[in-house]
Amino acid sequence: MINLRNGRLDDIPRLLQLLEILTGIEESFDFDREAHTRGLSLLIEAQPRTCVAVAEESGKVIGMCTGQTVISTAMGGPSVWVEDVVVHPDYRRLGLGAQLMDYLSDWAASCGALRQQLLIDNDNGSALEFYRTQNWKRTNFSCLRKLRLE
């Protein structure tokens, strides 16, 4: 039986395995064990302003997604940034991704979030199709980034 729950610090080694899979798919990010460990620790320690949704079966972590609240001036209230949506390849196409997103959406609603948003690699056709089936809508925005601010 698959169990969905909030992530804990002792989940980090297994979550890192999932993030390594995810960064192998996305060209914009590289797997960095130290940075990912630090980021996961910060997210888990910042709960309840953040959510690390974990799917496990028989004690084995098989999927995850994360969210964190921000304030949207356009919405006039809280919004949730969604990141790190990944299901282990052996468990894909079983509805687990949708369950994780529902878990995160329930958390977002409990925070009073008026919107959720995420970034997606435009070359990741399976992810684009997944989000389309989950009623996510494309925008005309482009993502820009600036690394290592000085």
Side-chain angles (χ1 to χ4, degrees):
M1 180 175 170
I2 295 175
N3 178 45
L4 299 179
R5 62 172 174 77
N6 289 332
R8 304 181 304 253
L9 289 173
D10 64 342
D11 291 321
I12 290 176
R14 293 172 290 181
L15 297 175
L16 288 171
Q17 293 171 346
L18 291 171
L19 289 177
E20 190 166 13
I21 291 168
L22 182 61
T23 56
I25 297 168
E26 296 179 337
E27 290 184 25
S28 297
F29 298 97
D30 295 318
F31 182 71
D32 180 333
R33 182 171 299 279
E34 184 179 317
H36 282 92
T37 298
R38 195 169 50 250
L40 285 167
S41 296
L42 289 168
L43 283 169
I44 291 169
E45 290 169 351
Q47 293 180 76
R49 290 186 341 263
T50 63
C51 179
V52 178
V54 172
E56 67 178 355
E57 182 180 57
S58 302
K60 177 183 177 186
V61 174
I62 57 174
M64 68 175 287
C65 65
T66 64
Q68 51 192 300
T69 56
V70 296
I71 303 300
S72 167
T73 56
M75 298 302 295
S79 183
V80 169
W81 275 104
V82 177
E83 292 189 327
D84 306 322
V85 180
V86 59
V87 172
H88 189 279
D90 294 345
Y91 294 87
R92 291 185 184 154
R93 304 220 178 270
L94 301 174
L96 185 53
Q99 290 177 48
L100 282 163
M101 294 301 287
D102 287 346
Y103 184 95
L104 193 66
S105 290
D106 290 346
W107 168 80
S110 76
C111 295
L114 303 170
R115 176 183 71 197
Q116 294 179 71
Q117 64 268 338
L118 57 80
L119 300 175
I120 187 167
D121 188 328
N122 286 320
D123 295 328
N124 190 340
S126 62
L128 287 165
E129 177 61 16
F130 168 75
Y131 291 116
R132 187 193 65 73
T133 65
Q134 300 300 305
N135 296 316
W136 285 74
K137 306 296 182 217
R138 292 191 77 147
T139 68
N140 289 323
F141 292 108
S142 294
C143 175
L144 304 176
R145 70 180 181 183
K146 186 174 182 180
L147 299 177
R148 313 248 188 260
L149 299 177
E150 296 176 357

